Amino acid sequence: MKRLLIRAEDKNRWERRSPVVPADLAAILRETGAQAFVEKSGKRFFSEDQYEAAGAVGCEGMAEGEIILGVKEIPIEKLLEGKTYLFFSHTIKGQAGNMPLLQKIIDSGSTLIDYEKITDENGRRLIYFGPYAGDAGAIDILSLMGEHWADKGIDTPLAQVRRAHQYDSVKAARAHLTEIGHEIRREGFPPELSPFTVGILGYGNVSGGAQQIFDCLPTERIAADEINAFVSDGRGDRHTVYVTVFKERDLVKPIAAEAAFDLQDYFDHPERYESRFESFLPSFTLLVNAVYWEKRYPRFVTWAGLKRLAETVSTIKLSGIADITCDTHGSIECNVKSTDSDMPAYRVDPVAGTTHDGHLGDGIVLLAVDNLPCELPNDSSSFFSNQLKPFVPGLLKADYASSLEASGLPPEIKRAVIVYNGRLTRAYEYLNAFLKK
């Protein structure tokens, strides 16, 4: 039976999550009889006392563990030899910034299992932070925009919204936003912000989290193919937030004039498609990006598109973007750098193609925090831990001296093994091309 260790997160001072919460750890230890250690941390939401009560032993560093569970990337200098690591490595797309980390894991003879690739037989992800990135992103963009508009002398009820990390839970945030929603229903938004429109790109778990936050306010859904006419015709009132949720067919179109949109064809051959999202930019007050993206897919918001927008209207309606997916230079091209919760946003100048730190002043506010669930550490950790818990006994009992096929690891975990005992597994050998760059 392998020894389990829960590492202390060190991405930034806001990262207070844990992959396994104390109550779930206690259940795992009862089932397996394994030893568990918890690396001491001064900022983790769950205390060492709680973990020790669950049966873990506090420790400094990661040497005591054989199976090391974390959340975010582990600094290269902290990686030890011959360990099995589970965390979000951000290596599967060949991300240049994390290739040294991948190489170090290979050189150390260790095993890397990435939560992002723990899937069922149909490729559906099983371990994730669920709606909490969407929850936190929606809360934060409303809070930031309330302050942004107040700085410009535009009073809105949104000035009362706090940051996500200032609420004890999503439940508490939703209760407060519901109160603010009652005020919007009574008082409305100022005319210069009406109709107040929100475009949400994507319809998965992250989008669902964002939608449940906006739905604390008085909302009405407007279909993508109706929103432009809705805004240009002056429909809507000051007492409602109008939400449009975009699916793939709303975001892109075939390049060939005679071709029809086909979802599977788009997934398989994105080079046959181009973005049609620029036509929607004039209609929205806020955008929320919750779409998984790779370089082979079209961008949705480009610098060129923003410049064209600025040059064709006297006043840009688009005031803020929450790029929850946070692929820098990705589907939202003006997202040029990720941020943290100390200064979560910067402003985009659509004409000059430049950015300026902070959310107060001229420009489009862009929220680009790349670990938003950390702002809701209790809720997000508990959700994540509940999903991971069933797989931990299999991780502890596996025979890592055998081949991957004979190791006894659950099949869902095997699919996520990027490096096994210092070698890229067959499914991830394509990463060799990125390691050699």
Side-chain angles (χ1 to χ4, degrees), residues 216 218 324 331:
C216 295
I324 299 175
S331 57

Side-chain angles (χ1 to χ4, degrees), residues 105-124:
I105 288 175
I106 292 171
D107 294 343
S108 71
S110 295
T111 293
L112 170 62
I113 300 171
D114 195 307
Y115 298 125
E116 191 171 351
K117 300 303 291 184
I118 299 176
T119 62
D120 65 15
E121 63 275 10
N122 296 313
R124 290 186 292 252

Side-chain angles (χ1 to χ4, degrees), residues 70-346:
V71 176
K72 299 298 289 183
E73 301 98 316
I74 301 175
I76 292 175
E77 65 274 11
K78 292 190 177 182
L79 290 169
L80 304 174
E81 293 187 357
K83 304 292 186 180
T84 295
Y85 297 101
L86 284 85
F87 60 95
F88 287 105
S89 70
H90 300 292
T91 59
I92 60 173
K93 299 179 188 177
Q95 292 96 318
N98 283 336
M99 289 302 97
L101 179 150
L102 182 61
Q103 188 65 60
K104 179 64 180 291
I105 288 175
I106 292 171
D107 294 343
S108 71
S110 295
T111 293
L112 170 62
I113 300 171
D114 195 307
Y115 298 125
E116 191 171 351
K117 300 303 291 184
I118 299 176
T119 62
D120 65 15
E121 63 275 10
N122 296 313
R124 290 186 292 252
R125 285 182 61 183
L126 300 175
I127 311 292
Y128 53 93
F129 278 100
Y132 295 104
D135 290 330
I139 294 166
D140 283 353
I141 195 64
L142 289 173
S143 176
L144 290 164
M145 296 315 301
E147 294 177 3
H148 173 82
W149 285 316
D151 184 64
K152 291 180 171 294
I154 303 173
D155 294 327
T156 73
L158 299 181
Q160 304 168 50
V161 182
R162 306 172 199 137
R163 301 287 196 275
H165 65 82
Q166 294 175 312
Y167 293 102
D168 290 334
S169 63
V170 174
K171 181 179 179 181
R174 292 183 67 187
H176 186 220
L177 283 160
T178 299
E179 295 175 6
I180 293 170
H182 294 324
E183 186 174 340
I184 291 171
R185 194 178 296 279
R186 291 193 308 270
E187 306 296 332
F189 290 102
E192 57 264 49
L193 296 181
S194 300
F196 194 103
T197 50
V198 179
I200 301 178
L201 286 65
Y203 51 94
N205 286 297
V206 174
S207 171
Q211 289 183 58
Q212 77 167 347
I213 295 301
F214 285 109
D215 283 340
C216 295
L217 311 177
T219 56
E220 180 180 329
R221 295 295 190 275
I222 305 293
D225 59 4
E226 297 175 5
I227 187 64
N228 285 346
F230 181 88
V231 173
S232 62
D233 292 348
R235 285 180 267 165
D237 61 57
R238 297 193 298 112
H239 305 270
T240 304
V241 175
Y242 298 96
V243 176
T244 299
V245 178
F246 286 83
K247 295 187 176 182
E248 291 89 352
R249 67 170 54 253
D250 307 314
L251 295 169
V252 300
K253 62 182 179 181
I255 295 173
E258 71 281 3
F261 175 84
D262 180 86
L263 182 60
Q264 193 58 52
D265 184 61
Y266 172 58
F267 289 153
D268 294 340
H269 298 284
E271 71 279 1
R272 298 175 181 173
Y273 293 80
E274 62 186 1
S275 173
R276 60 183 289 245
F277 190 71
E278 185 177 330
S279 65
F280 296 106
L281 287 179
S283 296
F284 287 104
T285 310
L286 302 178
L287 294 179
V288 176
N289 182 37
V291 175
Y292 175 81
W293 188 83
E294 296 178 6
K295 289 182 179 179
R296 61 197 187 100
Y297 292 108
R299 288 187 169 99
F300 304 127
V301 177
T302 65
W303 280 113
L306 289 175
K307 186 174 183 180
R308 282 190 286 269
L309 173 66
E311 292 173 344
T312 55
V313 296
S314 57
T315 303
I316 296 179
K317 180 177 178 64
L318 181 62
S319 298
I321 302 173
D323 189 5
I324 299 175
T325 303
C326 203
D327 289 306
T328 55
H329 307 283
S331 57
I332 307 297
E333 191 176 21
C334 56
N335 179 356
V336 298
K337 60 181 179 180
S338 59
T339 61
D340 62 35
S341 301
D342 284 304
M343 189 173 68
Y346 47 90

Side-chain angles (χ1 to χ4, degrees), residues 387-435:
Q387 296 173 98
L388 181 59
K389 179 175 69 171
F391 298 103
V392 176
L395 287 164
L396 295 171
K397 296 172 183 176
D399 179 8
Y400 295 89
S402 299
S403 67
L404 178 59
E405 292 72 20
S407 64
L409 285 168
E412 298 88 348
I413 298 294
K414 285 181 181 176
R415 299 184 189 105
V417 180
I418 296 176
V419 179
Y420 189 70
N421 293 335
R423 298 186 65 179
L424 288 170
T425 57
R426 184 174 302 174
Y428 299 97
E429 286 179 346
Y430 68 89
L431 291 170
N432 274 316
F434 297 96
L435 288 168

